[in-house]
Every structure is written in structure tokens, then in C-alpha cells.
Short mmCIF file of all heavy atoms in Angstrom, two decimals:
data_model
loop_
_atom_site.label_atom_id
_atom_site.label_comp_id
_atom_site.label_asym_id
_atom_site.label_seq_id
_atom_site.Cartn_x
_atom_site.Cartn_y
_atom_site.Cartn_z
N TYR A 1 0.79 -1.25 -0.01
CA TYR A 1 0.06 0.04 -0.04
C TYR A 1 0.84 1.22 0.00
O TYR A 1 0.66 2.24 -0.80
CB TYR A 1 -0.87 -0.04 1.22
CG TYR A 1 -1.77 1.17 1.36
CD1 TYR A 1 -2.85 1.46 0.49
CD2 TYR A 1 -1.47 2.22 2.37
CE1 TYR A 1 -3.67 2.69 0.74
CE2 TYR A 1 -2.19 3.36 2.41
CZ TYR A 1 -3.28 3.59 1.62
OH TYR A 1 -4.05 4.66 1.84
N ASN A 2 1.86 1.19 0.79
CA ASN A 2 2.75 2.41 0.90
C ASN A 2 3.62 2.69 -0.41
O ASN A 2 3.80 3.87 -0.74
CB ASN A 2 3.70 2.29 2.14
CG ASN A 2 2.93 2.49 3.32
OD1 ASN A 2 2.02 3.36 3.50
ND2 ASN A 2 3.30 1.71 4.46
N ILE A 3 3.88 1.50 -1.05
CA ILE A 3 4.65 1.64 -2.35
C ILE A 3 3.62 2.25 -3.44
O ILE A 3 3.95 3.35 -4.08
CB ILE A 3 5.11 0.34 -2.85
CG1 ILE A 3 6.28 -0.18 -1.96
CG2 ILE A 3 5.60 0.31 -4.24
CD1 ILE A 3 6.66 -1.63 -2.25
N ALA A 4 2.43 1.85 -3.30
CA ALA A 4 1.44 2.41 -4.18
C ALA A 4 1.21 3.91 -3.94
O ALA A 4 1.01 4.63 -4.95
CB ALA A 4 0.13 1.57 -4.19
N ARG A 5 1.16 4.32 -2.75
CA ARG A 5 0.88 5.66 -2.45
C ARG A 5 1.82 6.62 -3.11
O ARG A 5 1.55 7.76 -3.46
CB ARG A 5 0.83 5.83 -0.97
CG ARG A 5 -0.36 5.30 -0.28
CD ARG A 5 -0.17 5.46 1.22
NE ARG A 5 0.05 6.82 1.60
CZ ARG A 5 0.69 7.31 2.74
NH1 ARG A 5 1.36 6.28 3.48
NH2 ARG A 5 0.80 8.49 3.00
N PHE A 6 3.08 6.25 -3.16
CA PHE A 6 4.16 7.10 -3.58
C PHE A 6 4.70 6.74 -4.95
O PHE A 6 5.75 7.27 -5.39
CB PHE A 6 5.31 7.06 -2.64
CG PHE A 6 4.87 7.57 -1.27
CD1 PHE A 6 4.63 6.72 -0.17
CD2 PHE A 6 4.74 8.89 -1.02
CE1 PHE A 6 4.28 7.11 1.11
CE2 PHE A 6 4.31 9.36 0.27
CZ PHE A 6 4.14 8.57 1.24
N THR A 7 4.12 5.94 -5.67
CA THR A 7 4.44 5.62 -7.00
C THR A 7 3.54 6.51 -8.10
O THR A 7 2.36 6.83 -7.68
CB THR A 7 4.05 4.06 -7.25
OG1 THR A 7 4.77 3.17 -6.47
CG2 THR A 7 4.39 3.78 -8.79
N ALA A 8 4.24 6.77 -9.25
CA ALA A 8 3.60 7.63 -10.04
C ALA A 8 2.32 6.89 -10.59
O ALA A 8 2.34 5.70 -10.84
CB ALA A 8 4.51 7.93 -11.26
N GLU A 9 1.40 7.75 -11.14
CA GLU A 9 0.21 7.22 -11.65
C GLU A 9 0.49 6.61 -13.13
O GLU A 9 1.44 7.05 -13.90
CB GLU A 9 -0.94 8.17 -11.84
CG GLU A 9 -1.65 8.56 -10.56
CD GLU A 9 -2.86 9.32 -10.95
OE1 GLU A 9 -3.17 9.60 -12.12
OE2 GLU A 9 -3.60 9.66 -9.82
N ASP A 10 -0.13 5.51 -13.46
CA ASP A 10 0.01 4.77 -14.73
C ASP A 10 -1.42 4.43 -15.24
O ASP A 10 -2.19 3.67 -14.65
CB ASP A 10 0.82 3.50 -14.60
CG ASP A 10 1.24 2.76 -15.91
OD1 ASP A 10 0.46 3.06 -16.78
OD2 ASP A 10 2.11 2.07 -15.89
N SER A 11 -1.76 4.99 -16.39
CA SER A 11 -3.09 4.82 -16.92
C SER A 11 -3.30 3.31 -17.23
O SER A 11 -4.54 3.09 -17.30
CB SER A 11 -3.18 5.66 -18.13
OG SER A 11 -2.34 5.26 -19.14
N ALA A 12 -2.41 2.54 -17.48
CA ALA A 12 -2.65 1.18 -17.81
C ALA A 12 -2.62 0.32 -16.53
O ALA A 12 -3.02 -0.94 -16.63
CB ALA A 12 -1.58 0.62 -18.65
N ALA A 13 -2.50 0.77 -15.34
CA ALA A 13 -2.38 -0.06 -14.09
C ALA A 13 -3.82 -0.38 -13.62
O ALA A 13 -4.80 0.27 -14.02
CB ALA A 13 -1.69 0.71 -13.06
N GLY A 14 -3.94 -1.44 -13.01
CA GLY A 14 -5.34 -1.92 -12.52
C GLY A 14 -5.49 -3.42 -12.77
O GLY A 14 -4.80 -4.08 -13.52
N LEU A 15 -6.48 -3.92 -12.07
CA LEU A 15 -6.87 -5.29 -12.26
C LEU A 15 -7.55 -5.51 -13.65
O LEU A 15 -7.95 -4.51 -14.30
CB LEU A 15 -7.95 -5.64 -11.14
CG LEU A 15 -7.44 -5.74 -9.68
CD1 LEU A 15 -8.59 -6.20 -8.85
CD2 LEU A 15 -6.40 -6.86 -9.60
N PRO A 16 -7.59 -6.72 -14.06
CA PRO A 16 -8.19 -7.01 -15.43
C PRO A 16 -9.65 -6.56 -15.43
O PRO A 16 -10.28 -6.38 -14.50
CB PRO A 16 -8.05 -8.45 -15.50
CG PRO A 16 -6.85 -8.92 -14.71
CD PRO A 16 -6.99 -7.94 -13.50
N ASP A 17 -10.12 -6.37 -16.58
CA ASP A 17 -11.57 -6.02 -16.79
C ASP A 17 -12.38 -7.22 -16.34
O ASP A 17 -12.07 -8.48 -16.46
CB ASP A 17 -11.74 -5.78 -18.39
CG ASP A 17 -11.03 -4.58 -18.85
OD1 ASP A 17 -10.72 -3.65 -17.95
OD2 ASP A 17 -10.73 -4.49 -20.07
N ASP A 18 -13.49 -6.91 -15.75
CA ASP A 18 -14.40 -7.91 -15.20
C ASP A 18 -14.85 -8.98 -16.16
O ASP A 18 -14.90 -10.12 -15.78
CB ASP A 18 -15.69 -7.20 -14.54
CG ASP A 18 -15.33 -6.47 -13.36
OD1 ASP A 18 -14.22 -6.66 -12.89
OD2 ASP A 18 -16.24 -5.66 -12.84
N ASP A 19 -14.97 -8.68 -17.45
CA ASP A 19 -15.49 -9.62 -18.36
C ASP A 19 -14.35 -10.59 -18.80
O ASP A 19 -14.69 -11.48 -19.60
CB ASP A 19 -16.14 -8.96 -19.60
CG ASP A 19 -15.15 -8.03 -20.43
OD1 ASP A 19 -14.01 -7.90 -19.88
OD2 ASP A 19 -15.54 -7.58 -21.43
N THR A 20 -13.19 -10.41 -18.37
CA THR A 20 -12.06 -11.31 -18.85
C THR A 20 -11.77 -12.38 -17.80
O THR A 20 -10.97 -13.29 -18.16
CB THR A 20 -10.72 -10.45 -19.10
OG1 THR A 20 -10.33 -9.89 -17.82
CG2 THR A 20 -11.00 -9.41 -20.07
N PHE A 21 -12.30 -12.35 -16.63
CA PHE A 21 -11.92 -13.42 -15.61
C PHE A 21 -12.58 -14.67 -15.94
O PHE A 21 -13.61 -14.74 -16.47
CB PHE A 21 -12.52 -12.84 -14.21
CG PHE A 21 -11.72 -11.78 -13.63
CD1 PHE A 21 -12.32 -10.41 -13.27
CD2 PHE A 21 -10.30 -11.83 -13.43
CE1 PHE A 21 -11.58 -9.46 -12.69
CE2 PHE A 21 -9.59 -10.76 -12.79
CZ PHE A 21 -10.19 -9.55 -12.51
N GLU A 22 -11.77 -15.70 -15.64
CA GLU A 22 -12.32 -17.09 -15.75
C GLU A 22 -13.12 -17.35 -14.39
O GLU A 22 -12.45 -17.80 -13.44
CB GLU A 22 -11.18 -17.98 -15.97
CG GLU A 22 -11.64 -19.55 -16.00
CD GLU A 22 -12.66 -19.75 -17.13
OE1 GLU A 22 -12.41 -20.01 -18.20
OE2 GLU A 22 -13.97 -19.68 -16.77
N ARG A 23 -14.36 -17.16 -14.49
CA ARG A 23 -15.27 -17.41 -13.38
C ARG A 23 -15.43 -18.81 -12.93
O ARG A 23 -15.89 -19.17 -11.87
CB ARG A 23 -16.57 -16.60 -13.47
CG ARG A 23 -16.44 -15.17 -13.75
CD ARG A 23 -15.93 -14.33 -12.51
NE ARG A 23 -15.96 -12.96 -12.70
CZ ARG A 23 -15.55 -12.01 -11.84
NH1 ARG A 23 -15.37 -12.54 -10.59
NH2 ARG A 23 -15.46 -10.78 -12.08
N ALA A 24 -15.33 -19.80 -13.92
CA ALA A 24 -15.56 -21.22 -13.67
C ALA A 24 -14.46 -22.00 -14.22
O ALA A 24 -14.55 -22.65 -15.23
CB ALA A 24 -16.92 -21.62 -14.43
N PRO A 25 -13.25 -22.00 -13.46
CA PRO A 25 -12.15 -22.62 -13.99
C PRO A 25 -12.39 -24.13 -14.05
O PRO A 25 -13.00 -24.74 -13.25
CB PRO A 25 -11.12 -22.36 -12.86
CG PRO A 25 -11.52 -21.15 -12.08
CD PRO A 25 -13.06 -21.19 -12.23
N ARG A 26 -11.90 -24.64 -15.19
CA ARG A 26 -12.01 -26.05 -15.35
C ARG A 26 -10.85 -26.91 -14.85
O ARG A 26 -9.83 -26.36 -14.63
CB ARG A 26 -12.15 -26.33 -16.98
CG ARG A 26 -10.91 -25.97 -17.71
CD ARG A 26 -11.26 -25.89 -19.24
NE ARG A 26 -11.82 -24.63 -19.59
CZ ARG A 26 -12.29 -24.33 -20.83
NH1 ARG A 26 -12.09 -25.26 -21.76
NH2 ARG A 26 -12.77 -23.28 -21.16
N ASP A 27 -11.16 -28.18 -14.51
CA ASP A 27 -10.15 -29.07 -14.00
C ASP A 27 -9.30 -29.76 -15.22
O ASP A 27 -9.95 -30.51 -16.05
CB ASP A 27 -10.79 -30.26 -13.30
CG ASP A 27 -9.72 -31.20 -12.62
OD1 ASP A 27 -8.49 -30.98 -12.83
OD2 ASP A 27 -10.30 -32.29 -12.13
#
């Protein structure tokens, strides 16, 4: 958290888009 607070903003940073997650992973 402290690293994030003092790191420069990056427009590409962030978690993946919600529609890309594998919500039902297969075995």
C-alpha cells in the first residue's frame, strides 16, 4: 500500500476487466 501511495500514476495499471476473468475454472 505504501509503495502504491508514492508511485507515479500509470493509466494502464489496474486489475483485469471484469469480463475477462475465468469465473468457472475447469479441471
Side-chain angles (χ1 to χ4, degrees):
Y1 176 74
N2 287 326
I3 292 169
R5 287 175 58 212
F6 297 104
T7 297
E9 287 194 358
D10 186 336
S11 60
L15 291 178
D17 298 333
D18 287 349
D19 62 350
T20 65
F21 288 121
E22 178 54 88
R23 301 288 184 179
R26 63 194 81 182
D27 180 6

